[in-house]
Amino acid sequence: MTRCALFLLPALLCLTGCQKETQVEKANRDGIFLMGNSSEPKALDHQLVTGVIESKIIGALFEGLVGDDPEKDDGLPPGAAASWEHNADMTEWTFRLQPEGRWSDGYRVTAYDFVFAYHRMLHPDLAAPYAEMVYPLKNGEDYNKNLRGRILLHANVVPGVTWEDAKDIAFAGDAKVALEKGAKWPDSTTDAQRLDFVKGTGLDALGKEALEWIAADLTRYPWPAGFDPVKAKSLVDVMAAKAGDDLFELANVGVSAPDELTLKLVLREPVPYLPSLVRHYTWFPVPQHVVLQHGKISDRFTEWSRYPNLTGNGAFKLKIWRVHDMIEVERNPHYWDKANVGINGVRFLPIENPYTETRAFLAGQLHTTYQVPSDLIKEVKKKAPQEFRQEPYVGALFVRVNTTRPVLSDPRVRQAMALAIDRQQLCDYILEGYFPATSLTPKMGSYEPDKILTFDPEKAKQLLAEAGFPDGAKFPRFTMLISRPSARASAEAIQAMWRRHLNIMVDIQNKDWGSYVSAQQNLDFDLAAAGWVGDYLDPTTFLHMWTEGNGNNNTGWHSKDYEALLSKAALEPDPAKRLEVLKQSETLMMSAYPILPFAWYSRNYMLRPEVKGWHPLLLDNHPLNTLRLER
Amino acid sequence: MAEPALALLPLKNPVSNPVIAVNVSAEQGTSLWKDAARRLKKNHAAIAGLVTVTVIILACLILPSIAGLLADPNLQNLPNKNQPPGGAHWFGTDHLGRDIFSRVLFGGRISIAVGLITTFVSITIGVCWGAFAGYCRGAVDAVLMRIVDILYALPFLIVVILLGKTIEPLTSKLTEAAINLVAGANADSAQVNTTRTWIEPITTLVPLFLAIGTLSWLTVSRIVRAQVQNVASMDFVEAARSLGLGHLRILFRHILPNSMGPIIVYTTLTIPGVMLLEAVLSFLGLGVKPPNSSWGILIEEGSNRMLSNPWLLFFPSLFFSLTLFSLNFLGDGLRDALDPKSAKD
Amino acid sequence: MFRTLFSRFLQGLIVLFVLFTITFFLIKALPYGPFQSDKAIPGHIREKIEAYYGLNEPVYVQYGRTLGNLLKGDAGASMRLEGLPVTDIITQAFPNSIQLGVVAMAVAVLLGIPLGVFAAWKKNTVFDYGAMMIAMIGICIPSFVIGPLLAEKFGRDLEWFPVTGWSRSSPLSWILPAITLGLASAAYLSRLTRAGMLETLSQDFVRTARAKGVGELAILTKHCLRGGLIPAVAYIGPAFAAIISGSVVIESIFAVPGLGLHFIKAIETGDTPVILALVLLYGALIIVANFVTDVLGVWLNPRLRSSR
């Protein structure tokens, strides 16, 4: 035993000696960029994910029509498309693809791949969670929501029936008919059950058998009063004939490929920021030949998006994928612009714990980190002032209010609570580097919202008294949900501010992530500390969510006027005027205080000095192919 | 290996001599405890432990109750954050400018209460369960121990999340009732708030940790079972049985006292585990609610800032460790004092 | 022997079945499901996804199907890391957890048991108190404090070991996580060993041996160690099973790709297939560990054999 230890000791010492070259130094020699990326990506099929973590890796493996500029947020360098043009009202765009564009297996990147990608993205059976992102494509929403009746009627394939005739039919079914969860047609055996089933399900979602059953006796479906049975028969017959078919062609979705290298997009409304929008990964292409080799167009998570099959058109290709350990990408030998790729590869390290990540950086294991926790900022500024970076980022922190709760439904109460938050103090002492929010949307490009939020405890007190709670007396005890330990400090500070300035006591409750999210989505909460990060550089990424029924609203607040302004902006072709209308809508929403923003994000992270070509960017989409590592 | 020599039965051992054990059982009560107290007094480490624990518990109980003595543990002063110890703040201030000394004392109440309650419940169940399994053996043992296996592998986190959800409505009713009872029905909001600050942690935590105590006795039961099996195979138990003593009597009078050592040790080891578990649960919304605190939470918060502001970690850890060190030495002393075989010392 | 083994095997199967059933319904009682991301998924899409995974069916149907698939050997795929087969998760992460757990347990046993024996030998002396103080440090200072401290000192300052990361082939990367993980168990073991030893040392046969003039060291190692280890061994079994099935705190501090993080994340997201697979894996480990413990217990106490 002792002898064994004696033998091991020099071996250990030697190993320690060999460690003297840090991982970063070795990586510099090899041209590998070591990037802290916080957590494991949910998947690498970019049509099926929604996160920011995934976007970094996807950005290395795939390339959108328009590239990311390493220096400017609004720079629009060519990507998979070499050039593009649009018509006068910005509803028709033509992209000309790179003639040398290649997938990482050497096949050509064609416009058909893009058509296939948008087809797949919108395919109802794929159920892409972020399909909304491509809804600007004309008819995309109808196809994705599988509004079969509407699609067939618009395509004029139902003899003798037009959309005008049929638009009163309950295609989506009658929500009042309570169907058992997961009810299926074959389960319904009696006529009464079947009648309920077809009534509750609606024509659009019925299968062939059910439609044929209706066709046999048209009274089995609740048609609008006075609807011509001949037309009904014609409609049901066509729907039964097409049941189960993919209606992509008939839906006439606004994407087409006149030739191999030309992609034509037709939009449902003017989208002046389309080039910026298509930089988001939901608009990236997928390799048709690889996807279909491993499954149908509508299959979720087939082998195509796993190592070694994953094939991209980006500057890099997948080399190693070890779950919770690392993902490494290497040069794509077929990339059209490979001569200008500055590094040989990137290693993404999913280090969940930001303290561990920062320690790894300081020990020379990473070129950059995902985030520095605010507790460590002081320490890090002292130890590595050159490497510490603090940059604005398009994200906002806010308190979400459930406006359907009594008392919180009073806008004066919400305003009072907003006025009693001292945002400057929060950002000075707790959220170091963050900026006091004066509205929801942070400044982006030429958009700057009105300054709505101020700190005014006197006015806050007065408003609370007007609402019936002078000096906070008899104010109900509400609970504010938080979900991450890092949110605790700012929540406690806001709690103390409300107590000090309004004399009201709010509880804080930490919840596990799942319960926290579901409580908000079910409006089963009073207040919740939340945040939102923009997906693209346009205020709509912050404003669309506050519409009625939007899954991210979760405040119970909505307004017809607000939605009218958003629609008006959507139809406005002049960019400057459009932003003006959006600004009005934001002012309208913020003055109702369904949310109480308190800080705008800053990204606190570390970056080694030998990394060149990395510049502050609002969206934090740093193109990795233009990076250089100095030795 | 040599079988232990068993030829001699020393007469002084009351347990191994069943005749004496039966005869003295009537007056055993007083003399046993007196003996134990006498032996405990001689053990300096145990006495030091006892004094320290008492001082800490009293400090946590009494000092925060004296109005105006301590700073408000939840009073924030952001510009004054992360001050090192000294001056107005003996232990310094935390990341929100709150006084750490008062937070440690206030937090101690919760941690000590939670630690003792849960440990008591879990040890009681564990000892009984393990003792029966170890003593009965055969099918009873198999069933009891397979239940333990199942409980071991159940995802504790899910159980706790569901438990919290189930208990929550109950505890909030309990809180309101308790506040009404203590502060009176016509108390103004300020009074209600002060009452709430100390009542709420109790009414929300005690039921939860009672419940957790009922789930965390597994290792104890296995240790006790092993120990009981071992003791039960010894000759004096055989002797007791041949004298026709009842099973319960043999188990609780003769076997368990001879297994006290590991039980006491495991008890003192459970307390810190539970205190830290409270901090983990508070991140699921089940422990103490912010801005109130506990030692576990203070240690957790301090650990994140230990490089730049070590006092944030040091003082809560100091109280935590001192308490547990003392409990352990006290536990060891108690074990020695209660050991029936050390009567001769 | 064969009969015992067979009976325990059957008991194990029953335990696993009960465990599966309880866990399944516990998961279904959670107030959230796997497709609840922070960016809400629109209703029509969520319905499709849930239908795709059969989550819209009645719970008993889902139960039957899951059980059937499992019996056929199909554990399904993760819903959090969507599409990743559960078997891939286990084959990738479990070896790391085993490696870490074995080293940590070695640290715990090699540190804890000698310390406990030593303390019992020198009972109520400065050495005893010193040894128990050291043991208590392992309990009083939680691993989320010790881990970062070790990483800062031995990783970053002295550069002896890597501060984070895990490599199956480089033992250097195992040392800090294993020590951090092993310390707490070492503390438990030393306390339990001390108590067990004292319990044995006060038995009558020891007095007899002493009277016969047997040396103190021989009494300690030859006569008492077996009986003294009984509580420690009862602790080691389940502790070992727990340690090799992953420890999320250690994995988080040292970025170790083990099972612990998978398990916590799966619970956070209601990822049924992964939770079930890991619970069953852990259950199987517990069953085996407790069986081995029982066998060891009999070996440590030969008298149990005859009466069984």
Side-chain angles (χ1 to χ4, degrees):
Chain A
M1 190 63 206
T2 334
R3 217 176 291 158
C4 192
L6 280 176
F7 165 77
L8 271 173
L9 198 66
L12 276 175
L13 285 179
C14 164
L15 281 170
T16 13
C18 308
Q19 278 250 311
K20 283 295 176 255
E21 185 188 38
T22 64
Q23 294 182 25
V24 159
E25 284 157 1
K26 178 164 188 316
N28 287 343
R29 276 195 290 118
D30 300 343
I32 305 283
F33 182 59
L34 305 175
M35 186 170 180
N37 200 32
S38 174
S39 48
E40 178 69 23
K42 186 176 168 67
L44 288 184
D45 184 335
H46 56 80
Q47 303 198 309
L48 292 171
V49 297
T50 56
V52 177
I53 303 299
E54 290 84 0
S55 77
K56 315 276 172 195
I57 307 167
I58 288 165
L61 296 173
F62 293 87
E63 185 176 45
L65 290 163
V66 178
D68 283 308
D69 189 304
E71 293 183 45
K72 318 192 282 287
D73 285 298
D74 47 2
L76 298 170
S83 66
W84 52 90
E85 63 228 26
H86 56 80
N87 67 354
D89 68 355
M90 298 189 170
T91 53
E92 287 183 34
W93 294 70
T94 308
F95 291 85
R96 308 213 180 276
L97 303 191
Q98 297 286 357
E100 289 306 311
R102 292 284 187 279
W103 293 103
S104 55
D105 56 4
Y107 283 80
R108 301 183 61 160
V109 178
T110 64
Y112 309 124
D113 285 319
F114 280 89
V115 176
F116 176 79
Y118 301 158
H119 180 182
R120 181 169 184 261
M121 186 74 192
L122 289 167
H123 199 294
D125 292 340
L126 183 75
Y130 231 10
E132 281 182 295
M133 287 291 288
V134 288
Y135 279 2
L137 288 178
K138 197 173 174 191
N139 297 329
E141 185 170 355
D142 289 358
Y143 173 60
N144 181 243
K145 291 188 171 163
N146 209 13
L147 308 178
R148 304 184 75 86
R150 195 181 142 95
I151 292 170
L152 291 171
L153 289 164
H154 276 293
N156 293 325
V157 291
V158 186
V161 195
T162 64
W163 173 243
E164 271 314 302
D165 300 335
K167 68 179 189 312
D168 292 331
I169 297 174
F171 283 109
D174 188 343
K176 284 191 292 262
V177 179
L179 287 176
E180 205 176 303
K181 214 181 161 205
K184 288 195 194 87
W185 170 253
D187 301 341
S188 317
T189 45
T190 66
D191 265 10
Q193 276 175 342
R194 289 184 166 188
L195 285 173
D196 263 3
F197 181 84
V198 295
K199 192 175 176 198
T201 312
L203 280 186
D204 275 348
L206 287 175
K208 199 177 186 78
E209 281 175 329
L211 288 166
E212 281 168 353
W213 183 73
I214 295 175
D217 176 0
L218 285 169
T219 58
R220 286 167 173 168
Y221 195 78
W223 303 101
F227 189 68
D228 182 354
V230 180
K231 289 183 176 175
K233 174 85 172 114
S234 165
L235 179 63
V236 175
D237 281 346
V238 173
M239 289 190 83
K242 299 273 180 199
D245 287 3
D246 182 1
L247 298 186
F248 182 71
E249 297 298 329
L250 290 173
N252 196 18
V253 177
V255 54
S256 56
D259 64 60
E260 208 171 46
L261 292 178
T262 310
L263 180 72
K264 204 170 159 216
L265 303 182
V266 182
L267 310 181
R268 65 175 173 188
E269 65 211 8
V271 182
Y273 58 96
L274 187 76
S276 174
L277 185 64
V278 297
R279 295 190 299 177
H280 191 267
Y281 57 76
T282 44
W283 290 82
F284 287 5
V286 289
Q288 183 172 4
H289 59 288
V290 184
V291 174
L292 292 181
Q293 189 189 331
H294 294 278
K296 296 197 302 290
I297 184 170
S298 58
D299 280 344
R300 295 170 68 84
F301 301 104
T302 60
E303 281 295 308
W304 94 263
S305 58
R306 304 227 156 259
Y307 181 82
N309 307 321
L310 182 65
T311 305
N313 65 333
F316 301 94
K317 65 178 189 146
L318 194 58
K319 186 183 172 193
I320 303 172
W321 185 356
R322 290 205 300 260
V323 177
H324 283 174
D325 192 4
M326 64 131 124
I327 286 180
E328 187 171 328
V329 298
E330 62 185 349
R331 275 170 181 272
N332 171 2
H334 302 289
Y335 183 55
W336 64 272
D337 197 19
K338 56 179 179 283
N340 292 317
V341 177
I343 48 178
N344 295 327
V346 186
R347 204 172 290 157
F348 299 92
L349 295 142
I351 306 179
E352 297 255 348
N353 181 331
Y355 298 89
T356 302
E357 192 191 36
T358 307
R359 194 179 310 123
F361 178 89
L362 293 173
Q365 294 189 347
L366 293 174
H367 279 115
T368 183
T369 68
Y370 190 76
Q371 55 172 324
V372 175
S374 52
D375 297 331
L376 286 184
I377 289 180
K378 197 177 127 202
E379 180 74 9
V380 156
K381 273 183 179 165
K382 204 168 67 194
K383 275 189 188 149
Q386 302 299 311
E387 282 98 334
F388 180 62
R389 297 286 187 110
Q390 200 161 45
E391 289 153 13
Y393 183 39
V394 279
L397 289 172
F398 51 84
V399 177
R400 171 176 272 128
V401 186
N402 181 353
T403 62
T404 60
R405 284 271 197 269
V407 179
L408 290 179
S409 57
D410 186 337
R412 289 171 299 187
V413 171
R414 303 198 294 263
Q415 191 181 356
M417 292 172 94
L419 288 172
I421 301 175
D422 187 345
R423 295 171 180 77
Q424 191 63 49
Q425 267 211 341
L426 276 177
C427 295
D428 284 352
Y429 297 113
I430 298 165
L431 299 162
E432 280 172 71
Y434 281 46
F435 306 92
T438 54
S439 184
L440 174 65
T441 314
K443 184 180 182 312
M444 45 169 82
S446 46
Y447 182 82
E448 198 175 353
D450 290 329
K451 291 184 172 43
I452 312 275
L453 300 161
T454 52
F455 172 56
D456 188 346
E458 285 314 311
K459 194 175 171 206
K461 263 180 214 146
Q462 193 191 328
L463 279 166
L464 199 67
E466 280 173 27
F469 306 97
D471 196 33
K474 300 284 174 206
F475 192 80
R477 206 176 166 92
F478 290 116
T479 300
M480 173 155 58
L481 299 184
I482 57 176
S483 74
R484 303 207 184 280
S486 56
R488 190 175 158 125
S490 40
E492 280 181 281
I494 291 173
Q495 181 188 39
M497 287 168 184
W498 281 338
R499 191 170 192 185
R500 180 179 306 165
H501 302 305
L502 298 176
N503 196 25
I504 60 177
M505 188 64 197
V506 168
D507 282 329
I508 296 174
Q509 191 173 31
N510 220 323
K511 285 233 183 218
D512 58 277
W513 179 246
S515 307
Y516 163 85
V517 172
S518 82
Q520 291 180 62
Q521 291 177 352
N522 299 329
L523 281 182
D524 181 19
F525 74 108
D526 307 322
L527 302 158
W532 187 260
V533 174
D535 287 312
Y536 48 95
L537 273 190
D538 188 82
T540 48
T541 186
F542 283 90
L543 297 178
H544 266 315
M545 57 198 271
W546 309 109
T547 50
E548 186 175 4
N550 188 297
N552 293 312
N553 184 331
N554 302 337
T555 60
W557 178 88
H558 49 85
S559 142
K560 288 273 167 282
D561 295 344
Y562 177 66
E563 281 160 38
L565 280 173
L566 285 183
S567 314
K568 188 176 160 199
L571 296 171
E572 176 59 60
D574 179 51
K577 276 190 203 150
R578 180 175 163 276
L579 289 185
E580 194 49 46
V581 180
L582 287 175
K583 197 165 133 180
Q584 285 171 23
S585 73
E586 177 157 357
T587 305
L588 188 152
M589 187 270 294
M590 281 310 306
S591 313
Y593 299 94
I595 48 166
L596 321 173
F598 54 89
W600 283 324
Y601 274 74
S602 88
R603 221 169 85 72
N604 299 326
Y605 66 103
M606 312 287 292
L607 184 72
R608 299 279 302 190
E610 59 261 45
V611 180
K612 303 293 172 196
W614 181 289
H615 305 273
L617 290 177
L618 268 182
L619 270 179
D620 194 35
N621 282 339
H622 300 276
L624 297 170
N625 49 339
T626 55
L627 289 184
R628 300 270 182 289
L629 292 175
E630 230 168 49
R631 290 201 192 165
Chain B
M1 276 277 185
E3 283 280 306
L6 298 157
L8 291 174
L9 280 178
L11 291 173
K12 274 184 187 165
N13 189 331
V15 178
S16 56
N17 188 332
V19 183
I20 296 178
V22 175
N23 287 349
V24 301
S25 60
E27 74 257 84
Q28 204 181 23
T30 47
S31 70
L32 190 84
W33 288 108
K34 250 187 210 159
D35 276 0
R38 186 176 50 78
R39 284 197 292 265
L40 188 64
K41 265 186 220 151
K42 276 201 240 157
N43 189 331
H44 299 299
I47 292 301
L50 181 66
V51 171
T52 317
V53 158
T54 318
V55 168
I56 290 178
I57 292 181
L58 286 182
C60 291
L61 279 182
I62 297 174
L63 291 185
S65 316
I66 303 174
L69 185 68
L70 294 180
D72 178 349
N74 297 332
L75 181 71
Q76 299 182 4
N77 183 355
L78 292 180
N80 198 27
K81 71 168 192 169
N82 291 340
Q83 292 298 312
H89 303 287
W90 292 358
F91 289 180
T93 59
D94 73 356
H95 58 292
L96 295 172
R98 298 175 292 201
D99 183 63
I100 295 179
F101 184 61
S102 354
R103 284 182 80 70
V104 168
L105 288 185
F106 271 92
R109 292 174 153 195
I110 290 163
S111 286
I112 291 171
V114 158
L116 294 184
I117 293 171
T118 315
T119 305
F120 177 75
V121 175
S122 89
I123 295 292
T124 311
I125 302 180
V127 166
C128 295
W129 199 282
F132 279 116
Y135 185 76
C136 299
R137 316 195 45 192
V140 178
D141 178 36
V143 171
L144 291 179
M145 282 300 115
R146 295 302 80 76
I147 294 178
V148 169
D149 286 351
I150 292 171
L151 289 177
Y152 256 123
L154 273 190
F156 186 68
L157 197 59
I158 298 186
V159 176
V160 169
I161 290 175
L162 294 175
L163 199 65
K165 221 180 142 55
T166 328
I167 288 186
E168 210 177 358
L170 193 134
T171 53
S172 60
K173 262 185 214 148
L174 194 66
T175 312
E176 297 311 319
I179 290 173
N180 259 338
L181 199 72
V182 174
N186 334 317
D188 60 37
S189 61
Q191 260 176 307
V192 168
N193 274 340
T194 36
T195 321
R196 187 188 287 271
T197 28
W198 65 270
I199 274 204
E200 194 170 53
I202 301 175
T203 48
T204 50
L205 289 182
V206 168
L208 180 74
F209 277 87
L210 277 177
I212 286 175
T214 60
L215 289 173
S216 51
W217 44 267
L218 307 173
T219 304
V220 189
S221 76
R222 284 204 58 92
I223 290 174
V224 171
R225 168 177 170 271
Q227 194 69 20
V228 165
Q229 274 182 352
N230 182 34
V231 177
S233 68
M234 288 182 182
D235 300 322
F236 71 84
V237 178
E238 210 47 55
R241 224 175 260 148
S242 63
L243 275 173
L245 296 189
H247 287 303
L248 281 182
R249 191 187 179 98
I250 293 178
L251 185 54
F252 285 98
R253 268 279 159 73
H254 299 267
I255 297 181
L256 274 184
N258 276 287
S259 319
M260 266 336 251
I263 296 175
I264 291 183
V265 163
Y266 205 81
T267 309
T268 53
L269 292 177
T270 306
I271 296 174
V274 172
M275 287 184 178
L276 291 174
L277 178 68
E278 185 275 322
V280 175
L281 294 191
S282 80
F283 290 109
L284 296 173
L286 297 173
V288 55
K289 278 184 194 160
N292 297 325
S293 202
S294 67
W295 288 347
I297 292 175
L298 289 171
I299 291 173
E300 155 81 36
E301 284 183 346
S303 73
N304 290 336
R305 303 172 175 90
M306 65 186 165
L307 291 181
S308 45
N309 317 14
W311 60 91
L312 292 179
L313 175 63
F314 179 75
F315 290 105
S317 299
L318 182 72
F319 272 67
F320 181 72
S321 309
L322 261 185
T323 311
L324 302 172
F325 271 71
S326 313
L327 279 176
N328 270 279
F329 287 120
L330 178 60
D332 284 353
L334 269 180
R335 185 226 152 256
D336 287 353
L338 289 173
D339 185 355
K341 291 174 297 284
S342 56
K344 63 175 167 67
D345 297 341
Chain C
M1 186 61 201
F2 179 75
R3 249 194 72 193
T4 322
L5 204 65
F6 185 69
S7 142
R8 283 298 282 265
F9 180 72
L10 279 188
Q11 289 177 21
L13 287 185
I14 297 172
V15 166
L16 286 182
F17 173 72
V18 176
L19 189 60
F20 169 82
T21 308
I22 300 180
T23 309
F24 185 87
F25 288 100
L26 283 179
I27 299 171
K28 292 297 162 189
L30 281 175
Y32 51 83
F35 299 105
Q36 213 132 29
S37 66
D38 44 345
K39 282 178 184 161
I41 300 174
H44 68 282
I45 291 189
R46 209 166 125 179
E47 273 169 31
K48 283 272 184 193
I49 300 178
E50 288 182 348
Y52 187 88
Y53 288 105
L55 297 177
N56 54 354
E57 286 172 298
V59 176
Y60 65 90
V61 176
Q62 295 183 38
Y63 171 78
R65 195 186 47 233
T66 315
L67 185 61
N69 286 344
L70 214 56
L71 289 177
K72 275 185 272 171
D74 174 15
S78 168
M79 294 177 186
R80 173 179 76 93
L81 303 173
E82 251 187 281
L84 184 66
V86 172
T87 42
D88 281 15
I89 289 181
I90 292 176
T91 48
Q92 285 193 22
F94 194 34
N96 297 334
S97 285
I98 294 180
Q99 224 163 24
L100 173 60
V102 168
V103 183
M105 214 60 212
V107 169
V109 169
L110 293 180
L111 208 66
I113 291 185
L115 206 60
V117 173
F118 177 73
W121 180 30
K122 301 276 182 192
K123 186 191 159 193
N124 287 350
T125 64
V126 183
F127 297 107
D128 175 20
Y129 298 146
M132 286 305 103
M133 289 270 214
I134 296 173
M136 285 308 291
I137 289 175
I139 293 169
C140 292
I141 308 184
S143 50
F144 58 80
V145 175
I146 291 187
L149 281 178
L150 289 179
E152 284 291 332
K153 186 68 199 166
F154 298 102
R156 219 161 69 67
D157 285 358
L158 299 174
E159 296 184 5
W160 288 3
F161 310 105
V163 297
T164 67
W166 182 261
S167 161
R168 276 185 211 169
S169 53
S170 151
L172 274 183
S173 70
W174 310 348
I175 292 181
L176 290 182
I179 289 180
T180 313
L181 183 56
L183 269 184
S185 298
Y188 272 75
L189 279 180
S190 67
R191 297 280 303 146
L192 287 170
T193 307
R194 179 182 178 276
M197 289 299 288
L198 287 182
E199 215 59 47
T200 320
L201 277 172
S202 67
Q203 296 298 336
D204 309 322
F205 69 85
V206 176
R207 228 167 292 179
T208 321
R210 278 211 186 100
K212 281 183 174 169
V214 178
E216 199 61 22
L217 203 64
I219 289 183
L220 220 53
T221 52
K222 281 201 180 140
H223 296 256
C224 295
L225 198 55
R226 276 190 166 190
L229 282 183
I230 287 173
V233 167
Y235 169 81
I236 289 178
F240 188 60
I243 278 183
I244 63 171
S245 57
S247 155
V248 69
V249 178
I250 307 295
E251 286 172 20
S252 156
I253 294 170
F254 294 101
V256 180
L259 280 179
L261 189 62
H262 276 294
F263 192 46
I264 295 292
K265 290 259 170 184
I267 289 179
E268 263 183 8
T269 50
D271 187 350
T272 318
V274 177
I275 302 177
L276 282 174
L278 296 188
V279 164
L280 290 180
L281 176 70
Y282 180 41
L285 286 173
I286 281 283
I287 291 168
V288 172
N290 281 344
F291 176 64
V292 172
T293 311
D294 287 348
V295 172
L296 269 180
V298 175
W299 178 72
L300 288 173
N301 184 357
R303 269 168 304 181
L304 289 180
R305 268 178 245 166
S306 50
S307 50
R308 197 167 270 278

